[in-house]
Amino acid sequence: MINHEKLLNFPIPEVRQRVRPQDAVFYALSVGMGQDPMDTRQLPYITTQKGPVVMPAMAVVLGHPGFWLGNPETGVDAVRLVHGEQRITLHRPLPADGEVIGRTRVTGIVDKGEGKGALLYSEKEITDAATGELLAVTGSTTFLRADGGFGGPSGPVIPPNPMPEGAPDIVLDLPTRPEQAFYYRLNGDDNPLHTDPEVAARAGFPRPILHGLCTLGVVTHAILRELCDYRAEALKGLSLRFSSPVYPGETIRAEIWRSGAFRARVVERDVVVVNNGAAVLA
């Protein structure tokens, strides 16, 4: 069972990471860029000859502490947790060559009650190791499906972004690949839920699911393409809620409003997988 104070103050290791141009290229490829070899606008993200330009969504893997909730000392049922929400705020362009420091901490835990799970809020600050400048802040909500009823607080809960009425202005289909989770995990997210069928079955899924943050990367690609003309500096942040898992190999359909609101669904099952999305544009 969760010990509220212990988890709230859990010592998540600081991560110092050397970032190389090939890391930025690999991240972009791992979330599906480069599948259209004739789209030259993507080349700055996926080649070192014309860049690379770092995808803003790479903030979620820079200075990433790994699957720290898998540590038994947390008291969490690590097999049954899922990524619930993600937030990114960009203060400066992310470096393609340099060193960064990621400092992650738990900022809140909400007990939804016995049998209803719990919400764990965490935040990561990414700074330039050489200058100390703040590059980005990312925030995550992890849904601890099996850990409710430990006697913790019932709030506050971060409210979701409102969605506009009416049809989206833009619809874009982006495919994922059957082996995409095996690529994406090399960014530092090695939760076996995404690669091991036995672990997926214990978590209640028929097969391994795609990382939620990989889905975020695919949707960020759609935002960059449709609202930013592939200009990374035009995207200052985004936030979204994961509403259902994606299985590797499925097609993600991004539904985007010019206001910056968005959601996404899986074409093959017509299931909304990302909801309450909001992009902050320059």
Side-chain angles (χ1 to χ4, degrees):
M1 179 177 289
I2 289 176
N3 179 309
H4 179 262
E5 288 302 316
K6 180 178 180 180
L7 187 54
L8 191 62
N9 295 286
F10 196 80
I12 305 170
E14 175 182 295
V15 177
R16 184 178 288 261
Q17 180 181 355
R18 178 76 172 90
V19 184
R20 305 165 300 167
Q22 54 265 45
D23 299 322
V25 169
F26 177 80
Y27 175 81
L29 292 171
S30 77
V31 298
M33 276 205 181
Q35 293 192 40
D36 181 358
M38 297 305 292
D39 188 347
T40 58
R41 296 175 300 168
Q42 296 182 33
L43 291 179
Y45 293 92
I46 56 176
T47 66
T48 54
Q49 288 81 12
K50 291 183 174 289
V53 175
V54 181
M55 280 190 74
M58 192 178 176
V60 298
V61 303
L62 291 178
H64 181 57
F67 186 43
W68 65 272
L69 279 167
N71 185 334
E73 292 295 316
T74 65
V76 167
D77 183 342
V79 171
R80 296 188 61 193
L81 64 80
V82 292
H83 202 141
E85 298 167 323
Q86 184 66 43
R87 298 164 291 277
I88 303 173
T89 301
L90 296 152
H91 294 274
R92 290 175 175 78
L94 299 175
D97 194 354
E99 191 172 29
V100 300
I101 298 173
R103 297 183 177 94
T104 303
R105 64 188 180 95
V106 176
T107 57
I109 309 168
V110 174
D111 187 351
K112 296 171 68 68
E114 183 70 32
K116 297 180 180 179
L119 301 175
L120 183 144
Y121 296 116
S122 60
E123 182 179 274
K124 178 182 68 178
E125 290 188 345
I126 307 166
T127 57
D128 186 303
T131 66
E133 290 181 318
L134 182 64
L135 300 173
V137 178
T138 68
S140 298
T141 306
T142 304
F143 182 31
L144 309 177
R145 295 189 294 160
D147 295 297
F150 60 90
S154 59
V157 175
I158 298 175
N161 300 311
M163 292 298 293
E165 299 288 340
D169 299 309
I170 302 161
V171 176
L172 175 66
D173 289 352
L174 292 172
T176 66
R177 298 180 60 86
E179 74 278 16
Q180 194 153 347
F182 290 94
Y183 294 133
Y184 187 84
R185 74 189 301 268
L186 298 178
N187 290 304
D189 192 337
D190 54 1
N191 184 345
L193 174 65
H194 307 293
T195 54
D196 188 329
E198 291 184 3
V199 173
R202 293 205 305 271
F205 298 106
R207 56 193 174 100
I209 62 175
L210 193 64
H211 301 74
L213 291 181
C214 186
T215 299
L216 175 144
V218 175
V219 174
T220 301
H221 179 190
I223 299 294
L224 284 172
R225 171 174 164 165
E226 299 298 335
L227 297 184
C228 303
D229 193 29
Y230 281 106
R231 293 179 299 111
E233 69 276 9
L235 183 60
K236 296 300 183 183
L238 59 81
S239 56
L240 54 78
R241 172 171 287 186
F242 299 108
S243 52
S244 190
V246 175
Y247 294 103
E250 293 184 320
T251 303
I252 296 174
R253 173 170 291 166
E255 300 175 342
I256 304 168
W257 285 260
R258 296 206 178 276
S259 64
F262 63 89
R263 66 176 174 236
R265 68 181 70 239
V266 161
V267 172
E268 291 82 357
R269 293 179 286 127
D270 194 27
V271 172
V272 175
V273 294
V274 165
N275 214 346
N276 303 102
V280 179
L281 307 172

